[in-house]
Amino acid sequence: MNKIKVLAFYKFTQFDSLSKLKLSLLNYCSLHKVLGSVLISNEGLNGTIAGYEKNIDKVLSFFQKLPGCMDLEHKVSFASEIPFSKLRVRLKKEIVTMGCPEVKPSQSVGSYVNAKDWNNFIKQDDVVLIDTRNDYEVAIGTFDGSVNPKTQKFRDFPNWWDKNSERYKDKKIAMFCTGGIRCEKATNFLIQNHHKNVFHLKGGILKYLEDVPIEESKWQGECFVFDQRVSVTHGLEEGNFSLCFACRRPISEIDKAHVKYEEGVSCHKCFNQHSLKRKDGFRERQRQINQKAL
């Protein structure tokens, strides 16, 4: 049986002729029946795609031949079905939005810590562990003892650091995120703001869950991923969360038992965020989905 392979990747590198590159990537991925999302900008590329294993391997090889992408950072996992409904290749100002044009991870980043060395590194007394992901991602899983900046989006991180940097000035900062890309920018931001002892988890949480045995793990919960699997666990197995259609936040089976949960319409986190008219629109959409499933 053909496996569905999921490839998460990024690379900070200088690209020119973005429109031509977009068309090239779109055509090659379409030719090999690959679905997912690819972002490209002048600072590099970032994305997650899925398809049959042999086709993903061909697309990965194609990506690695792009300028500066021979050492493209990538993680592989597998899914029971393709976790995307379409292919999108989009031009963006940034491949991960921080809103700080002076941040240049292609020039300098913090020191990498490999997944297998992470546990020993973070247990040091002078290390502060910071989760650079957004609050809804942290809510379903994080490392034991980590700091949650409680950001709603990544562009909030610089402001959080400006307000809190003084308390960490004599500490080693160890940061982590899903696949590593946000930490590339976050560590460069800290370096530019004169914090010297900056480290980050190479390959992100995904690499840690892949390489570190569950009996040795310091990870608690599941890891949010940006596709229809919603979350993964140790060994990069598919997790137990789904998404609320209305607010796009992860929800558990316990959340679905809440009196304010209505499939396709609301969960207890967003029950009061949408008008009755919009909820009626959500209900009609869900009715059509249920009709097609019959």
Side-chain angles (χ1 to χ4, degrees):
M1 188 170 113
N2 289 321
K3 288 183 178 180
I4 298 300
K5 194 170 189 175
V6 182
L7 181 74
F9 58 91
Y10 73 86
K11 178 63 181 179
F12 285 98
T13 185
Q14 179 65 41
F15 283 139
D16 299 312
S17 305
L18 292 182
S19 296
K20 183 178 179 181
L21 177 61
K22 174 185 176 180
L23 184 60
S24 177
L25 296 183
L26 185 63
N27 288 342
Y28 199 84
C29 289
S30 298
L31 177 65
H32 291 88
K33 298 179 172 57
V34 164
L35 302 180
S37 176
V38 181
L39 306 180
I40 54 177
S41 79
N42 290 120
E43 68 176 5
L45 80 165
N46 171 32
T48 305
I49 56 174
Y52 290 127
E53 186 170 13
K54 63 179 182 179
N55 291 344
I56 288 293
D57 291 344
K58 290 178 181 177
V59 173
L60 173 59
S61 179
F62 179 79
F63 285 164
Q64 289 170 328
K65 292 174 183 174
L66 296 174
C69 291
M70 183 180 297
D71 58 346
L72 180 81
E73 180 69 38
H74 64 280
K75 269 75 63 184
V76 167
S77 56
F78 293 90
S80 56
E81 57 186 29
I82 295 183
F84 298 100
S85 58
K86 61 181 70 174
L87 171 66
R88 292 180 177 175
V89 180
R90 292 179 288 172
L91 301 180
K92 304 281 285 186
K93 288 184 177 179
E94 301 177 69
I95 56 174
V96 57
T97 303
M98 192 181 213
C100 298
E102 72 277 10
V103 169
K104 306 276 186 195
S106 58
Q107 295 179 1
S108 66
V109 294
S111 301
Y112 293 109
V113 180
N114 290 323
K116 292 180 179 179
D117 300 322
W118 187 247
N119 289 352
N120 286 331
F121 185 80
I122 63 175
K123 72 181 182 182
Q124 298 175 64
D125 291 338
D126 61 344
V127 170
V128 173
L129 187 59
I130 299 178
D131 195 330
T132 65
R133 299 172 304 150
N134 297 330
D135 203 28
Y136 68 90
E137 299 170 75
V138 179
I140 71 169
T142 192
F143 282 108
D144 184 30
S146 64
V147 175
N148 176 11
K150 297 183 179 180
T151 54
Q152 298 303 304
K153 50 190 181 299
F154 187 48
R155 64 166 61 243
D156 297 336
F157 182 82
N159 185 50
W160 175 84
W161 176 256
D162 288 344
K163 292 179 178 178
N164 292 274
S165 60
E166 190 63 23
R167 72 174 74 176
Y168 305 129
K169 65 179 182 178
D170 298 320
K171 298 288 187 178
K172 295 175 184 173
I173 303 298
M175 293 192 281
F176 63 92
C177 57
T178 308
I181 186 170
R182 274 178 276 197
C183 289
E184 301 277 344
K185 283 200 165 182
T187 57
N188 181 270
F189 175 80
L190 263 65
I191 290 168
Q192 290 199 33
N193 282 272
H194 313 297
H195 199 101
K196 296 179 180 179
N197 293 316
V198 187
F199 302 82
H200 50 140
L201 176 58
K202 185 168 177 57
I205 301 161
L206 295 180
K207 189 62 177 172
Y208 183 90
L209 295 179
E210 179 182 10
D211 286 0
V212 177
I214 190 169
E215 60 272 15
E216 299 175 13
S217 178
K218 301 299 182 184
W219 178 262
Q220 296 182 338
E222 299 185 11
C223 177
F224 183 86
V225 291
F226 296 89
D227 59 59
Q228 291 170 12
R229 293 173 299 171
V230 183
S231 66
V232 295
T233 60
H234 280 85
L236 301 183
E237 296 292 329
E238 294 181 51
N240 300 298
F241 284 81
S242 53
L243 280 185
C244 170
F245 172 77
C247 66
R248 311 306 294 171
R249 294 189 182 105
I251 50 175
S252 66
E253 290 303 313
I254 294 175
D255 294 331
K256 291 179 183 179
H258 198 284
V259 66
K260 291 184 177 179
Y261 174 73
E262 183 179 349
E263 184 182 12
V265 178
S266 68
C267 67
H268 70 282
K269 302 170 186 177
C270 68
F271 184 79
N272 297 316
Q273 293 179 2
H274 300 288
S275 66
L276 292 177
K277 182 177 181 181
R278 191 159 192 206
K279 285 184 178 180
D280 284 341
F282 291 160
R283 287 189 183 97
E284 175 58 23
R285 175 188 177 275
Q286 190 61 40
R287 186 192 68 78
Q288 293 177 18
I289 291 173
N290 293 341
Q291 190 82 18
K292 289 179 181 178
L294 296 176

